Amino acid sequence: MEVTREQEAAAELPIEAVRPVRPGRWLGAAAALLFLVWLAYTVIVNENLHWDVIVAYLTDGRILGGLWVTVQLTVLSMAIGLVLGVLAAVMQLSDNPVLRGTSALYTWFFRGTPLLVQLIFWFNIGLVFPTFAIGVPFGGPKLIEWQANEVITPFTAALLGLAINEGAYMAEIVRAGIRSVDPGQREAAESLGMSHRQVLRRVVLPQAMRVIIPPTGNQFISMLKTTSMVSVIAGAELLTVAQRIYLGNFEVIAMLVVASIWYVVLTTIASVGQHFVEKRFERGHVRLSSRVRRNLRPLQKEPS
């Protein structure tokens, strides 16, 4: 019968370990569990929450419509913000001082201005620019012209505010991810004759994604809840619809609970998706670590 190396090590160095008794840990866990049970019981039996109203409105058509608008705003804002962020990060890492300055100005301004102010500004942009036109600049003739109030709907204003603001934050995340890639790999790719764009697309960005994905997932989850700020411009998203309903039936807390339940559901789905995306981009890193650990095993002496 073959004896494994672990059995040989256990025979040479027997260890009789006894798990230590930790009454403080068990008492703390019991207290936390008791508190959670009490909290759940208090919430469930509280008649003032009107659970029948919550259940009735949870799948109401108006609520589901607001939920769909919330999902649309989140996905579109993150997609546009990601494109803007990658563009701004690449400009900021450029050798061109004009591109670097433009990117720095964009990031500085939109990170320094409250999102609520940006949403209200975009919603009322018709007060500054009553019309939008395509034509010759600096007072020249106009080929096509639109009224600002017709173009900037509450949804468009919300999308502009959320996406442009998100782009400024994504620029910093992408820049940090690009900087995390070893400069030697860029030099090696350039020595193979790759252009700057090829190096960025085929070497730098794929490796930077492992650093970019976790904070981007966090931004996506944050965006799900940030869309509730659109209620100040009546963006017809989930919270706005809940507010409109409780202004009619006066069930303020019940409708807020309905909105909160759906926000938690969306956040849970996004968290699960983030987990699997992170695992996918970690695959190469894990395989490399396994290979390194395998190669670091001590060499066995050959029998003389």
Side-chain angles (χ1 to χ4, degrees):
M1 179 178 179
E2 184 178 357
V3 180
T4 63
R5 296 178 59 188
E6 289 76 8
Q7 289 173 334
E8 291 178 352
E12 294 174 358
L13 186 61
I15 300 175
E16 296 181 0
V18 178
R19 185 183 295 275
V21 179
R22 296 173 177 172
R25 178 179 296 183
W26 285 103
L27 285 175
L33 183 62
L34 182 62
F35 173 76
L36 291 176
V37 172
W38 170 80
L39 183 64
Y41 173 79
T42 305
V43 171
I44 291 172
V45 302
N46 193 329
E47 297 179 353
N48 294 326
L49 283 174
H50 297 174
W51 284 102
D52 56 333
V53 177
I54 294 173
V55 173
Y57 278 96
L58 201 57
T59 55
D60 185 89
R62 291 167 292 177
I63 290 292
L64 296 181
L67 182 68
W68 175 235
V69 174
T70 295
V71 173
Q72 285 180 302
L73 279 176
T74 303
V75 174
L76 291 176
S77 299
M78 281 303 300
I80 298 172
L82 184 59
V83 172
L84 291 175
V86 171
L87 185 62
V90 172
M91 289 171 62
Q92 202 158 356
L93 295 172
S94 169
D95 295 331
N96 189 319
V98 177
L99 294 181
R100 283 204 312 271
T102 304
S103 174
L105 181 64
Y106 163 71
T107 307
W108 165 75
F109 181 78
F110 286 101
R111 288 176 69 199
T113 311
L115 176 59
L116 187 60
V117 174
Q118 295 179 38
L119 291 172
I120 296 173
F121 173 80
W122 287 113
F123 185 63
N124 294 284
I125 191 141
L127 299 175
V128 184
F129 302 104
T131 59
F132 298 123
I134 298 177
V136 179
F138 304 109
K142 300 174 182 175
L143 301 177
I144 306 175
E145 191 172 3
W146 301 276
Q147 293 295 321
N149 291 332
E150 296 176 358
V151 176
I152 306 299
T153 62
F155 184 87
T156 308
L159 186 60
L160 285 171
L162 293 172
I164 295 176
N165 182 74
E166 186 62 32
Y169 286 93
M170 284 305 305
E172 291 299 294
I173 293 174
V174 175
R175 187 172 65 87
I178 292 176
R179 283 191 176 278
S180 69
V181 179
D182 188 354
Q185 300 202 21
R186 179 190 293 269
E187 296 170 0
E190 288 174 347
S191 67
L192 293 175
M194 288 187 180
S195 64
H196 180 71
R197 182 177 299 178
Q198 287 176 322
V199 172
L200 184 67
R201 184 168 54 88
R202 300 175 61 178
V203 177
V204 177
L205 281 181
Q207 296 186 68
M209 290 302 289
R210 190 171 55 84
V211 178
I212 293 173
I213 288 296
T216 302
N218 190 50
Q219 289 292 109
F220 186 87
I221 292 171
S222 176
M223 179 65 77
L224 279 170
K225 295 170 287 184
T226 304
T227 54
S228 63
M229 296 182 69
V230 175
S231 61
V232 297
I233 58 173
E237 38 68 57
L238 181 57
L239 183 59
T240 302
V241 173
Q243 288 175 330
R244 288 174 180 170
I245 294 175
Y246 73 61
L247 287 176
N249 63 9
F250 304 107
E251 295 285 353
V252 179
I253 299 300
M255 297 315 302
L256 291 179
V257 171
V258 169
S260 299
I261 289 173
W262 277 118
Y263 281 123
V264 171
V265 170
L266 292 177
T267 302
T268 304
I269 295 172
S271 300
V272 174
Q274 178 187 351
H275 171 72
F276 285 106
V277 172
E278 284 184 23
K279 284 187 66 175
R280 176 174 178 77
F281 280 94
E282 285 282 350
R283 283 190 308 178
H285 181 69
V286 172
R287 287 174 181 171
L288 178 62
S289 303
S290 302
R291 288 199 299 269
V292 170
R293 285 197 298 270
R294 187 165 56 247
N295 293 333
L296 286 178
R297 286 178 180 173
L299 295 174
Q300 295 181 355
K301 291 184 178 179
E302 296 183 357
S304 56

